[in-house]
């Protein structure tokens, strides 16, 4: 199985901050990497697919980058509705695997 | 827009079989676009893919659960189902159903999730 590692389980930030969340794969996954936003009690929401493609309807303050083993999700200016947990997920091979999540909390 | 809704018992006894159903609305479950998937999240832990099924009935299961998992589809009811046998407390989790977009390779629609607790 490909292991996905999000090194920061949580981070604290303020509204307006630029936030960067990292994800590392245990082997190269090319650009087969997606990012999801999850709020408690709600369905996870797809933000970014194929490492850098913005899902329709997702604000442009979200962006993704990376390829191979190292990936980044960036929120350019954090908004109140962005406080949530973010997961990366590899779609390179089965079983599909997720990172452990990074919770973005209010500073 | 496709909507997914999980249903089933919230409490299952140890050694018994967990059974959940996902109802698909707002679109056809008969689709070459999607695999229909189950994902779970134990409390305080990350997301784990359980497996998926096509509308033709082809399945892929997570090897860690394969011996205990069965996913099936009933196109006449627009539903797909999960059965997990011989459950233990470790199977306590929020269970989600989701649609896997085959070509784009992502989960684009998810249910709200349902908590299943394994306890006597």
């Amino acid at each position: 199985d490909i292991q996905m590692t999000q090194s920061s389980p949580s981070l604290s930030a303020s509204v307006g901050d630029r936030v960067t969340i990292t994800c590392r794969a245990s082997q190269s996954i090319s650009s087969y990497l997606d990012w999801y936003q999850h709020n408690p009690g709600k369905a996870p929401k797809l933000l970014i697919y194929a490492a850098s493609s913005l899902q329709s309807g997702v604000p442009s303050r979200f962006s993704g980058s990376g390829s191979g083993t190292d990936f980044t999700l960036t929120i350019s200016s954090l908004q109140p509705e962005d406080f949530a947990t973010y997961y990366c997920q590899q779609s390179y091979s089965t079983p599909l695997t997720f990172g452990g999540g990074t919770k973005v909390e209010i500073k | 827009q496709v909507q997914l809704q999980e249903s089933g018992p919230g409490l299952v006894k140890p050694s018994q079989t967990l059974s959940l159903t996902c109802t698909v609305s707002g679109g056809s479950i008969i689709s070459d676009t999607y695999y229909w998937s189950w994902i779970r999240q134990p409390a305080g832990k990350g997301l784990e893919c359980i497996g998926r099924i096509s509308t033709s009935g082809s399945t892929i299961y997570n090897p860690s659960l394969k011996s205990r998992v069965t996913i099936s589809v009933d196109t006449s009811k627009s539903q797909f189902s999960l059965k997990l046998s011989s459950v233990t407390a470790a199977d306590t989790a929020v269970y989600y159903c989701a649609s896997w977009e085959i070509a784009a390779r992502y989960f684009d629609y998810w249910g709200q999730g349902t908590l299943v607790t394994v306890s006597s």
Side-chain angles (χ1 to χ4, degrees):
Chain A
D1 298 5
I2 297 174
Q3 305 304 314
M4 305 301 295
T5 302
Q6 294 178 241
S7 54
S8 298
S10 65
L11 64 87
S12 297
S14 301
V15 173
D17 284 353
R18 181 182 182 88
V19 170
T20 298
I21 298 169
T22 60
C23 174
R24 174 166 287 177
S26 60
Q27 66 182 73
S28 177
I29 58 171
S30 185
S31 295
Y32 294 104
L33 190 284
D34 307 317
W35 289 98
Y36 298 86
Q37 178 191 63
H38 192 203
N39 283 297
K42 294 190 175 182
K45 176 184 176 183
L46 175 69
L47 300 175
I48 300 286
Y49 63 95
S52 60
S53 296
L54 189 69
Q55 173 68 342
S56 176
V58 174
S60 59
R61 63 180 179 273
F62 291 93
S63 63
S65 64
S67 66
T69 61
D70 293 305
F71 301 87
T72 300
L73 173 70
T74 299
I75 310 172
S76 60
S77 177
L78 196 66
Q79 298 302 300
E81 61 268 31
D82 300 338
F83 292 97
T85 300
Y86 294 85
Y87 293 93
C88 61
Q89 177 242 316
Q90 63 84 14
S91 57
Y92 181 80
S93 65
T94 56
L96 306 176
T97 48
F98 291 84
T102 297
K103 185 175 183 179
V104 177
E105 299 174 305
I106 301 172
K107 196 170 190 178
Chain B
Q1 175 163 322
V2 174
Q3 293 183 308
L4 304 171
Q5 180 66 58
E6 306 89 351
S7 59
L11 181 64
V12 181
K13 288 181 167 45
S15 79
Q16 294 191 342
T17 295
L18 178 159
S19 295
L20 295 174
T21 296
C22 182
T23 300
V24 179
S25 60
S28 176
I29 196 171
I30 302 175
S31 172
D32 292 332
T33 302
Y34 293 115
Y35 289 140
W36 305 102
S37 305
W38 287 99
I39 297 156
R40 70 179 183 179
Q41 184 173 32
K45 296 188 178 182
L47 296 158
E48 178 183 37
C49 289
I50 300 170
R52 63 191 195 209
I53 190 167
S54 69
T55 47
S56 65
S58 173
T59 54
I60 295 178
Y61 299 137
N62 190 321
S64 68
L65 297 167
K66 187 175 182 178
S67 63
R68 300 193 290 131
V69 172
T70 302
I71 297 175
S72 58
V73 63
D74 185 339
T75 55
S76 66
K77 295 181 178 179
S78 287
Q79 294 177 334
F80 62 103
S81 299
L82 168 70
K83 291 189 185 300
L84 181 65
S85 64
S86 305
V87 296
T88 69
D91 295 310
T92 295
V94 176
Y95 286 77
Y96 297 94
C97 57
S99 58
W100 173 256
E101 223 274 14
I102 298 170
R105 299 169 79 147
Y106 52 63
F107 294 108
D108 54 355
Y109 299 108
W110 296 65
Q112 298 276 45
T114 187
L115 174 62
V116 179
T117 301
V118 178
S119 174
S120 56

mmCIF file of all heavy atoms in Angstrom, chain B residues 21-43:
data_model
loop_
_atom_site.group_PDB
_atom_site.id
_atom_site.type_symbol
_atom_site.label_atom_id
_atom_site.label_comp_id
_atom_site.label_asym_id
_atom_site.label_seq_id
_atom_site.Cartn_x
_atom_site.Cartn_y
_atom_site.Cartn_z
ATOM 1 N N THR B 21 -26.576 0.497 3.731
ATOM 2 C CA THR B 21 -27.050 0.731 2.376
ATOM 3 C C THR B 21 -26.840 2.186 2.021
ATOM 4 O O THR B 21 -26.992 3.067 2.874
ATOM 5 C CB THR B 21 -28.538 0.370 2.254
ATOM 6 O OG1 THR B 21 -28.701 -1.040 2.492
ATOM 7 C CG2 THR B 21 -29.089 0.708 0.885
ATOM 8 N N CYS B 22 -26.497 2.444 0.788
ATOM 9 C CA CYS B 22 -26.362 3.792 0.275
ATOM 10 C C CYS B 22 -27.359 3.985 -0.865
ATOM 11 O O CYS B 22 -27.352 3.216 -1.834
ATOM 12 C CB CYS B 22 -24.939 4.034 -0.215
ATOM 13 S SG CYS B 22 -24.625 5.705 -0.822
ATOM 14 N N THR B 23 -28.202 4.987 -0.729
ATOM 15 C CA THR B 23 -29.197 5.281 -1.763
ATOM 16 C C THR B 23 -28.699 6.444 -2.608
ATOM 17 O O THR B 23 -28.315 7.494 -2.072
ATOM 18 C CB THR B 23 -30.550 5.619 -1.140
ATOM 19 O OG1 THR B 23 -30.991 4.492 -0.354
ATOM 20 C CG2 THR B 23 -31.580 5.911 -2.219
ATOM 21 N N VAL B 24 -28.719 6.246 -3.913
ATOM 22 C CA VAL B 24 -28.244 7.252 -4.864
ATOM 23 C C VAL B 24 -29.443 7.965 -5.477
ATOM 24 O O VAL B 24 -30.380 7.321 -5.968
ATOM 25 C CB VAL B 24 -27.415 6.587 -5.979
ATOM 26 C CG1 VAL B 24 -26.935 7.622 -6.984
ATOM 27 C CG2 VAL B 24 -26.227 5.832 -5.374
ATOM 28 N N SER B 25 -29.437 9.277 -5.438
ATOM 29 C CA SER B 25 -30.506 10.058 -6.044
ATOM 30 C C SER B 25 -29.907 11.208 -6.844
ATOM 31 O O SER B 25 -28.729 11.536 -6.696
ATOM 32 C CB SER B 25 -31.463 10.598 -4.979
ATOM 33 O OG SER B 25 -30.768 11.424 -4.061
ATOM 34 N N GLY B 26 -30.734 11.809 -7.692
ATOM 35 C CA GLY B 26 -30.272 12.937 -8.499
ATOM 36 C C GLY B 26 -29.465 12.527 -9.711
ATOM 37 O O GLY B 26 -28.927 13.384 -10.418
ATOM 38 N N GLY B 27 -29.363 11.249 -9.938
ATOM 39 C CA GLY B 27 -28.612 10.724 -11.074
ATOM 40 C C GLY B 27 -28.783 9.223 -11.116
ATOM 41 O O GLY B 27 -29.263 8.615 -10.146
ATOM 42 N N SER B 28 -28.388 8.606 -12.209
ATOM 43 C CA SER B 28 -28.571 7.165 -12.339
ATOM 44 C C SER B 28 -27.404 6.400 -11.731
ATOM 45 O O SER B 28 -26.242 6.733 -11.951
ATOM 46 C CB SER B 28 -28.708 6.791 -13.820
ATOM 47 O OG SER B 28 -28.796 5.388 -13.952
ATOM 48 N N ILE B 29 -27.747 5.361 -10.973
ATOM 49 C CA ILE B 29 -26.704 4.489 -10.432
ATOM 50 C C ILE B 29 -26.097 3.639 -11.550
ATOM 51 O O ILE B 29 -24.985 3.130 -11.426
ATOM 52 C CB ILE B 29 -27.252 3.610 -9.296
ATOM 53 C CG1 ILE B 29 -26.103 3.007 -8.467
ATOM 54 C CG2 ILE B 29 -28.167 2.527 -9.852
ATOM 55 C CD1 ILE B 29 -26.542 2.307 -7.209
ATOM 56 N N ILE B 30 -26.852 3.482 -12.646
ATOM 57 C CA ILE B 30 -26.342 2.733 -13.802
ATOM 58 C C ILE B 30 -25.484 3.702 -14.603
ATOM 59 O O ILE B 30 -25.994 4.554 -15.337
ATOM 60 C CB ILE B 30 -27.485 2.159 -14.646
ATOM 61 C CG1 ILE B 30 -28.355 1.248 -13.786
ATOM 62 C CG2 ILE B 30 -26.918 1.403 -15.843
ATOM 63 C CD1 ILE B 30 -29.587 0.732 -14.494
ATOM 64 N N SER B 31 -24.193 3.565 -14.450
ATOM 65 C CA SER B 31 -23.298 4.579 -15.005
ATOM 66 C C SER B 31 -21.936 3.983 -15.306
ATOM 67 O O SER B 31 -21.400 3.218 -14.499
ATOM 68 C CB SER B 31 -23.152 5.731 -14.005
ATOM 69 O OG SER B 31 -22.159 6.637 -14.417
ATOM 70 N N ASP B 32 -21.403 4.360 -16.449
ATOM 71 C CA ASP B 32 -20.017 4.012 -16.775
ATOM 72 C C ASP B 32 -19.053 5.053 -16.227
ATOM 73 O O ASP B 32 -17.843 4.907 -16.365
ATOM 74 C CB ASP B 32 -19.835 3.924 -18.282
ATOM 75 C CG ASP B 32 -20.590 2.748 -18.885
ATOM 76 O OD1 ASP B 32 -20.787 1.756 -18.163
ATOM 77 O OD2 ASP B 32 -20.967 2.831 -20.065
ATOM 78 N N THR B 33 -19.606 6.085 -15.593
ATOM 79 C CA THR B 33 -18.781 7.174 -15.088
ATOM 80 C C THR B 33 -18.236 6.896 -13.690
ATOM 81 O O THR B 33 -17.162 7.367 -13.339
ATOM 82 C CB THR B 33 -19.602 8.472 -15.053
ATOM 83 O OG1 THR B 33 -20.083 8.759 -16.365
ATOM 84 C CG2 THR B 33 -18.797 9.650 -14.545
ATOM 85 N N TYR B 34 -18.998 6.116 -12.922
ATOM 86 C CA TYR B 34 -18.672 5.984 -11.500
ATOM 87 C C TYR B 34 -18.443 4.550 -11.055
ATOM 88 O O TYR B 34 -19.052 3.603 -11.560
ATOM 89 C CB TYR B 34 -19.815 6.539 -10.645
ATOM 90 C CG TYR B 34 -20.014 8.024 -10.755
ATOM 91 C CD1 TYR B 34 -21.177 8.545 -11.310
ATOM 92 C CD2 TYR B 34 -19.030 8.910 -10.307
ATOM 93 C CE1 TYR B 34 -21.358 9.911 -11.405
ATOM 94 C CE2 TYR B 34 -19.210 10.278 -10.404
ATOM 95 C CZ TYR B 34 -20.372 10.770 -10.951
ATOM 96 O OH TYR B 34 -20.551 12.123 -11.048
ATOM 97 N N TYR B 35 -17.580 4.430 -10.044
ATOM 98 C CA TYR B 35 -17.595 3.294 -9.147
ATOM 99 C C TYR B 35 -18.257 3.783 -7.862
ATOM 100 O O TYR B 35 -18.060 4.910 -7.440
ATOM 101 C CB TYR B 35 -16.182 2.806 -8.806
ATOM 102 C CG TYR B 35 -15.443 2.134 -9.923
ATOM 103 C CD1 TYR B 35 -14.076 2.370 -10.115
ATOM 104 C CD2 TYR B 35 -16.051 1.221 -10.769
ATOM 105 C CE1 TYR B 35 -13.361 1.750 -11.119
ATOM 106 C CE2 TYR B 35 -15.345 0.593 -11.784
ATOM 107 C CZ TYR B 35 -14.007 0.869 -11.949
ATOM 108 O OH TYR B 35 -13.306 0.244 -12.948
ATOM 109 N N TRP B 36 -19.007 2.906 -7.240
ATOM 110 C CA TRP B 36 -19.693 3.252 -5.998
ATOM 111 C C TRP B 36 -18.909 2.672 -4.829
ATOM 112 O O TRP B 36 -18.638 1.478 -4.793
ATOM 113 C CB TRP B 36 -21.130 2.734 -6.055
ATOM 114 C CG TRP B 36 -21.839 3.253 -7.279
ATOM 115 C CD1 TRP B 36 -22.083 2.585 -8.444
ATOM 116 C CD2 TRP B 36 -22.311 4.595 -7.482
ATOM 117 N NE1 TRP B 36 -22.687 3.416 -9.351
ATOM 118 C CE2 TRP B 36 -22.855 4.655 -8.786
ATOM 119 C CE3 TRP B 36 -22.361 5.748 -6.693
ATOM 120 C CZ2 TRP B 36 -23.417 5.809 -9.320
ATOM 121 C CZ3 TRP B 36 -22.914 6.898 -7.218
ATOM 122 C CH2 TRP B 36 -23.444 6.923 -8.513
ATOM 123 N N SER B 37 -18.588 3.542 -3.872
ATOM 124 C CA SER B 37 -17.533 3.230 -2.908
ATOM 125 C C SER B 37 -17.988 3.364 -1.462
ATOM 126 O O SER B 37 -18.919 4.107 -1.154
ATOM 127 C CB SER B 37 -16.350 4.186 -3.134
ATOM 128 O OG SER B 37 -15.905 4.140 -4.467
ATOM 129 N N TRP B 38 -17.272 2.638 -0.596
ATOM 130 C CA TRP B 38 -17.438 2.775 0.841
ATOM 131 C C TRP B 38 -16.094 3.174 1.464
ATOM 132 O O TRP B 38 -15.051 2.603 1.120
ATOM 133 C CB TRP B 38 -17.935 1.480 1.466
ATOM 134 C CG TRP B 38 -19.372 1.180 1.163
ATOM 135 C CD1 TRP B 38 -19.852 0.336 0.210
ATOM 136 C CD2 TRP B 38 -20.509 1.739 1.821
ATOM 137 N NE1 TRP B 38 -21.222 0.336 0.216
ATOM 138 C CE2 TRP B 38 -21.664 1.187 1.206
ATOM 139 C CE3 TRP B 38 -20.693 2.642 2.875
ATOM 140 C CZ2 TRP B 38 -22.959 1.510 1.607
ATOM 141 C CZ3 TRP B 38 -21.971 2.968 3.279
ATOM 142 C CH2 TRP B 38 -23.103 2.393 2.646
ATOM 143 N N ILE B 39 -16.158 4.116 2.395
ATOM 144 C CA ILE B 39 -14.997 4.653 3.092
ATOM 145 C C ILE B 39 -15.399 4.773 4.558
ATOM 146 O O ILE B 39 -16.563 5.035 4.862
ATOM 147 C CB ILE B 39 -14.624 6.040 2.523
ATOM 148 C CG1 ILE B 39 -14.229 5.928 1.049
ATOM 149 C CG2 ILE B 39 -13.490 6.698 3.328
ATOM 150 C CD1 ILE B 39 -14.403 7.207 0.265
ATOM 151 N N ARG B 40 -14.461 4.580 5.465
ATOM 152 C CA ARG B 40 -14.793 4.734 6.867
ATOM 153 C C ARG B 40 -13.742 5.557 7.594
ATOM 154 O O ARG B 40 -12.607 5.696 7.123
ATOM 155 C CB ARG B 40 -14.965 3.383 7.549
ATOM 156 C CG ARG B 40 -13.672 2.589 7.725
ATOM 157 C CD ARG B 40 -13.963 1.272 8.441
ATOM 158 N NE ARG B 40 -12.742 0.512 8.693
ATOM 159 C CZ ARG B 40 -12.721 -0.654 9.325
ATOM 160 N NH1 ARG B 40 -13.853 -1.207 9.763
ATOM 161 N NH2 ARG B 40 -11.570 -1.274 9.524
ATOM 162 N N GLN B 41 -14.140 6.086 8.751
ATOM 163 C CA GLN B 41 -13.237 6.878 9.585
ATOM 164 C C GLN B 41 -13.467 6.542 11.045
ATOM 165 O O GLN B 41 -14.447 7.013 11.657
ATOM 166 C CB GLN B 41 -13.456 8.378 9.353
ATOM 167 C CG GLN B 41 -12.476 9.247 10.121
ATOM 168 C CD GLN B 41 -12.591 10.708 9.761
ATOM 169 O OE1 GLN B 41 -13.664 11.205 9.432
ATOM 170 N NE2 GLN B 41 -11.469 11.421 9.814
ATOM 171 N N PRO B 42 -12.590 5.751 11.632
ATOM 172 C CA PRO B 42 -12.675 5.526 13.085
ATOM 173 C C PRO B 42 -12.445 6.834 13.831
ATOM 174 O O PRO B 42 -11.762 7.726 13.328
ATOM 175 C CB PRO B 42 -11.552 4.529 13.350
ATOM 176 C CG PRO B 42 -11.263 3.899 12.014
ATOM 177 C CD PRO B 42 -11.525 4.982 11.011
ATOM 178 N N ALA B 43 -12.997 6.930 15.018
ATOM 179 C CA ALA B 43 -12.871 8.146 15.802
ATOM 180 C C ALA B 43 -11.405 8.510 16.015
ATOM 181 O O ALA B 43 -10.601 7.664 16.413
ATOM 182 C CB ALA B 43 -13.572 7.983 17.154
#
